[in-house]
C-alpha cells in the first residue's frame, strides 16, 4: 500500500478548547450584534476567522525568542532578520514594521499621493484602505476567470495584462507610482499568481517604467503552487522559486503574521537605497527606529526563523494539503466551494449556497452566522460588508462574489477539527432552504466597517 499523507510535525504543547451549546451561541451572537469579530474567543470552538497571527510557532522559534537582543539600535536580532530577508527574498534593504498594514502605511507615505492610480490584482482591504485614505485609487486588473468559482484555472490570482496595459497606456506615468501584485491573492480566494504572469507584469512595467511591488503575505504558498502547477518548476526547490518570484519586483510589503508564522510583525524590503532612505523617515515617525520598527528583538529572531521554516517544502505540503482536505470534504457533500482550493482558506460560494437571500441582506454574513450557530465554528465574510461603500458616492459596493472564508491557521488544528468543520457546514447546507432572511446594518464606521459593524435580523 502507498503510505498515506501525514503532518510534518508533532505537538509539544496544547491549548484547551471549550465546546458550547446552541442556546449559548444564540445569546452570544445576538449580544455581538451578529458581527463575529465581536465574539470573545472563548465563545468560539474552532476559529477560522483568519490565518493572520494565529499560527503555532515551532520549538526552534521559541528558542530564538530567548536569544532576542533588545538593544534600541543595531541589535543582533535586526541583523539576523536582515540576513534572512536577503537570503530568502534577495532584497538588500529592509525596514521592520509592526504588521503588514504598517508596512503599507510607511511605503505608501513615501510613494503615493492624491489622485494616483495603483493597478493590481484585487488589492487586500487594508491595502485598498491605505490607497483610498490618500485619495488615490486602486484599480483591479485580475483575470475574469477569478470571478467564476466553478472554473478550474491553476492561477486565478493572475493579472490580466490587457487590463493592466490599458491603465498604463491611458494615464500619465507620474500618476502611477507602482503596480501591486498580491501573492497569493487573498481577495480572489487565496489564489496564486504564476511565474509567467509575474514575469510578464515585470516586462510591461519596464516598458512604462513603473515600479512593481509584491504584497507578499503568502508568498511561500504561492511558490508551492508554482512548483506543483507550473511547467518547468517541479524540480526547483521552494527557495529557488521564491528568489525568482522576487527577482521580478522592486520591493515588497510583508505581513509576517501569515507565511512567516509569527503572531505579530511585518516588514518592507526593496532594492533601491534611495527609496529606503525616504521610507526610513516614515518608519521612524510611525513605527520606531529603523533597526526595530515596532518589533522587539525576540520577535525579529522568531520571524527570521519563521521565514526559513515557512519556505520548507514539507511544511508547505502539510499546510496546503490540510486546506485541500477540508475543501474536498465539503465538495463531496455538494457544498459550493471555490475551485481550485486556495492556499490559506476554503472559500464557500454563499450566493450559490443561499440563492434566496438578496445581496442587500448580506448573504455571506448570513451564512457565517448560521455556521456559528450550528457548531461554534467562526468563519469570516468576504462580501458586501468587506467591500464597503464607494468613498465618493457613499453607495454600497456589491462585489461579484459573496464568500464565506474558512481560514486555516498554520500548524494549529488537526484533521479531526477539519472533519468537524466539514460536518457542521454540511448540516447547514442540508437545511439551507429553511434560511429565509439575512441581516440589515444598524451601525457602521466610515471606513473598514466590517470590523465593528452592528447588524440586526432583516
Ligand atoms: N495583505 C494581505 C494580502 C493580507 O491578507 C493582509 C492581512 C494584509 C496585507 C495586512 O496585514 O494584518 O499584518 O496588517 N490579512 C488578514 C486576513 C487580516 O485575515 O486576511 P496585517
Amino acid at each position: 500500500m502507498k503510505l498515506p499523507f501525514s503532518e510534518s510535525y508533532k505537538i509539544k504543547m496544547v491549548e484547551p478548547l471549550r465546546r458550547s451549546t446552541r442556546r449559548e451561541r444564540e445569546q452570544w451572537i445576538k449580544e455581538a450584534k451578529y458581527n463575529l469579530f465581536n465574539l470573545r474567543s472563548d465563545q468560539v470552538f474552532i476559529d477560522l476567522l483568519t490565518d493572520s497571527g494565529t499560527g503555532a510557532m515551532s520549538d526552534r522559534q521559541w528558542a530564538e525568542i530567548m536569544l532576542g537582543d533588545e538593544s534600541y539600535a543595531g541589535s543582533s536580532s535586526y541583523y539576523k532578520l536582515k540576513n534572512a530577508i536577503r537570503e530568502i527574498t534577495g532584497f538588500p534593504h529592509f525596514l521592520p514594521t509592526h504588521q503588514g498594514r504598517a508596512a503599507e502605511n510607511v511605503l505608501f507615505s513615501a510613494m503615493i499621493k492624491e489622485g494616483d492610480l495603483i493597478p493590481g490584482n484585487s488589492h487586500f482591504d487594508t491595502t485598498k484602505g491605505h490607497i483610498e485614505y490618500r485619495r488615490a485609487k486602486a484599480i483591479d486588473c485580475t483575470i475574469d476567470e477569478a470571478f467564476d468559482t466553478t472554473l478550474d484555472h491553476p492561477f486565478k490570482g493572475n493579472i490580466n495584462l490587457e487590463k493592466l496595459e490599458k491603465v498604463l497606456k491611458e494615464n500619465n506615468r507620474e500618476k502611477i507610482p507602482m503596480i501591486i501584485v498580491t501573492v497569493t491573492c487573498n481577495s480572489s480566494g487565496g489564489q496564486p499568481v504564476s511565474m509567467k504572469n509575474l514575469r510578464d507584469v515585470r516586462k510591461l512595467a519596464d516598458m512604462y517604467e513603473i515600479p512593481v511591488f509584491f504584497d507578499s503575505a503568502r508568498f511561500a504558498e504561492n511558490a508551492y503552487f508554482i512548483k506543483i502547477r507550473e511547467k518547468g518548476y517541479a524540480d526547483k526547490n521552494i527557495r529557488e522559486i521564491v528568489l525568482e518570484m522576487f527577482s521580478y519586483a522592486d520591493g515588497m510589503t510583508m505581513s509576517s503574521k501569515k507565511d512567516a508564522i509569527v503572531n505579530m510583525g511585518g516588514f518592507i524590503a526593496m532594492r533601491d537605497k534611495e527609496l529606503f532612505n525616504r521610507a526610513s523617515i516614515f518608519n521612524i515617525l510611525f513605527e520606531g527606529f529603523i533597526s526595530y520598527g515596532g518589533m522587539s528583538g525576540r520577535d525579529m529572531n522568531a520571524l527570521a526563523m519563521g521565514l526559513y521554516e515557512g519556505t520548507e517544502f514539507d511544511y508547505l505540503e502539510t499546510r496546503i494539503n490540510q486546506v485541500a482536505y477540508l475543501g474536498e470534504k465539503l465538495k463531496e457533500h455538494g457544498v459550493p466551494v471555490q475551485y481550485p482550493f486556495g492556499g490559506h482558506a476554503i472559500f464557500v460560494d454563499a450566493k450559490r449556497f443561499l440563492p434566496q437571500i438578496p445581496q442587500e441582506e448580506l448573504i455571506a454574513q448570513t451564512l457565517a452566522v448560521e455556521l456559528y450557530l450550528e457548531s461554534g465554528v467562526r468563519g469570516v465574510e468576504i462580501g458586501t460588508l468587506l467591500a464597503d461603500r464607494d468613498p465618493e458616492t457613499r453607495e454600497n459596493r456589491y462585489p461579484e462574489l459573496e464568500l464565506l472564508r474558512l481560514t486555516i491557521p498554520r500548524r494549529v488544528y488537526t484533521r479531526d477539527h477539519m472533519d468537524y468543520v466539514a460536518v457542521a457546514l454540511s448540516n447547514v447546507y442540508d437545511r439551507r432552504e429553511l434560511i429565509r432572511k439575512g441581516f440589515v446594518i444598524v451601525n457602521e464606521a466610515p471606513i473598514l466597517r466590517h470590523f465593528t459593524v452592528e447588524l440586526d435580523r432583516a
Side-chain angles (χ1 to χ4, degrees):
M1 265 201 291
K2 186 171 180 278
L3 289 171
F5 181 77
S6 74
E7 288 83 353
S8 64
Y9 45 78
K10 60 181 178 175
I11 296 166
K12 191 166 343 212
M13 190 188 282
V14 297
E15 179 181 340
L17 291 175
R18 181 187 174 279
R19 250 181 273 233
S20 54
T21 63
R22 180 161 181 128
R23 281 271 292 275
E24 284 175 322
R25 292 193 291 274
E26 277 168 3
Q27 179 69 26
W28 293 335
I29 194 71
K30 194 169 168 206
E31 285 166 6
K33 311 282 187 204
Y34 302 99
N35 179 346
L36 292 115
F37 284 97
N38 286 337
L39 290 171
R40 294 166 52 121
S41 63
D42 57 6
Q43 296 169 337
V44 174
F45 180 51
I46 296 177
D47 204 348
L48 308 185
L49 185 70
T50 180
D51 64 325
S52 182
T54 52
M57 290 210 297
S58 67
D59 52 357
R60 293 183 294 172
Q61 284 178 292
W62 281 107
E64 283 296 326
I65 291 264
M66 294 306 294
L67 299 173
D69 174 357
E70 306 303 341
S71 307
Y72 191 94
S75 71
S76 62
S77 300
Y78 165 77
Y79 287 106
K80 194 178 269 184
L81 180 54
K82 187 175 164 70
N83 286 339
I85 290 173
R86 184 196 272 268
E87 198 177 326
I88 286 174
T89 69
F91 292 119
H93 308 293
F94 103 100
L95 289 166
T97 64
H98 78 275
Q99 62 182 91
R101 69 200 68 185
E104 291 163 0
N105 188 30
V106 170
L107 183 70
F108 295 177
S109 294
M111 293 188 72
I112 296 180
K113 58 182 189 317
E114 184 169 343
D116 281 352
L117 303 173
I118 294 91
N121 54 344
S122 302
H123 309 65
F124 182 66
D125 56 330
T126 60
T127 318
K128 202 175 196 171
H130 273 295
I131 290 170
E132 290 176 353
Y133 180 73
R134 291 172 169 78
R135 298 183 190 281
K137 207 166 158 200
I139 301 182
D140 188 359
C141 301
T142 315
I143 55 169
D144 293 331
E145 289 90 332
F147 303 103
D148 180 346
T149 59
T150 60
L151 203 86
D152 198 359
H153 185 293
F155 293 102
K156 279 184 170 176
N158 278 0
I159 288 201
N160 178 318
L161 297 166
E162 276 141 44
K163 287 188 201 174
L164 176 63
E165 181 151 28
K166 189 163 182 294
V167 180
L168 303 187
K169 203 184 274 172
E170 288 177 0
N171 294 282
N172 196 325
R173 206 182 83 199
E174 275 65 53
K175 277 189 80 170
I176 308 175
M178 65 173 89
I179 297 165
I180 299 180
V181 189
T182 307
V183 290
T184 58
C185 187
N186 187 2
S187 307
S188 77
Q191 297 291 330
V193 181
S194 72
M195 195 70 93
K196 179 173 184 320
N197 195 245
L198 295 176
R199 206 178 294 128
D200 289 344
V201 168
R202 175 79 256 172
K203 270 190 219 143
L204 207 53
D206 281 346
M207 266 170 58
Y208 290 86
E209 295 176 50
I210 311 248
V212 178
F213 282 79
F214 291 173
D215 177 352
S216 316
R218 301 177 183 86
F219 72 94
E221 291 171 5
N222 200 93
Y224 177 88
F225 283 121
I226 287 176
K227 181 175 168 72
I228 300 301
R229 295 183 185 167
E230 192 162 347
K231 210 168 143 235
Y233 289 92
D235 295 331
K236 295 216 154 72
N237 69 38
I238 297 291
R239 300 249 170 88
E240 289 168 332
I241 295 173
V242 166
L243 269 177
E244 185 183 340
M245 281 169 58
F246 285 121
S247 76
Y248 302 125
D250 295 283
M252 63 186 282
T253 54
M254 178 71 187
S255 168
S256 310
K257 303 167 72 172
K258 282 85 167 174
D259 275 3
I261 332 178
V262 288
N263 303 117
M264 190 54 72
F267 61 86
I268 309 165
M270 69 279 267
R271 242 177 274 292
D272 180 13
K273 181 78 175 27
E274 195 275 324
L275 174 63
F276 168 80
N277 290 343
R278 259 190 302 143
S280 294
I281 299 167
F282 295 102
N283 216 67
I284 295 169
L285 264 179
F286 297 145
E287 293 295 297
F289 184 59
I290 57 167
S291 70
Y292 73 88
M295 296 190 71
S296 44
R298 55 180 171 272
D299 287 343
M300 287 193 280
N301 270 13
L303 167 52
M305 181 57 81
L307 283 170
Y308 292 114
E309 291 184 359
T311 48
E312 280 167 12
F313 178 80
D314 287 357
Y315 151 73
L316 283 165
E317 187 182 39
T318 296
R319 158 87 178 142
I320 305 289
N321 266 294
Q322 187 181 41
V323 174
Y325 176 82
L326 174 62
E328 285 298 343
K329 286 263 149 187
L330 291 169
K331 203 167 157 229
E332 269 167 33
H333 195 80
V335 176
V337 287
Q338 187 194 39
Y339 200 77
F341 308 128
H344 66 300
I346 293 301
F347 290 72
V348 185
D349 188 333
K351 270 191 187 167
R352 281 164 57 217
F353 197 118
L354 296 173
Q356 67 274 30
I357 306 287
Q359 202 165 10
E360 306 84 73
E361 291 185 14
L362 312 170
I363 312 171
Q365 182 67 12
T366 304
L367 185 55
V369 171
E370 285 296 331
L371 177 63
Y372 174 71
L373 287 171
E374 172 73 24
S375 59
V377 173
R378 170 160 70 172
V380 70
E381 189 246 31
I382 308 278
T384 300
L385 281 179
L386 184 72
D388 224 314
R389 290 176 188 274
D390 184 290
E392 276 156 31
T393 66
R394 301 305 301 155
E395 292 295 320
N396 272 310
R397 287 190 279 217
Y398 290 107
E400 212 149 323
L401 295 178
E402 285 277 333
L403 301 168
L404 166 64
R405 188 182 74 172
L406 303 172
T407 340
I408 315 298
R410 294 169 181 76
R411 304 191 290 209
V412 170
Y413 292 115
T414 65
R415 188 168 292 193
D416 284 352
H417 289 122
M418 296 302 111
D419 284 334
Y420 180 95
V421 175
V423 170
L425 193 59
S426 299
N427 287 349
V428 178
Y429 190 65
D430 292 343
R431 61 172 172 78
R432 63 192 182 280
E433 278 160 22
L434 302 175
I435 303 165
R436 306 303 315 175
K437 282 202 175 307
F439 291 92
V440 289
I441 296 175
V442 179
N443 244 320
E444 65 180 282
I447 190 167
L448 297 174
R449 66 180 178 185
H450 57 289
F451 289 118
T452 53
V453 74
E454 296 183 355
L455 307 173
D456 206 350
R457 290 204 179 270

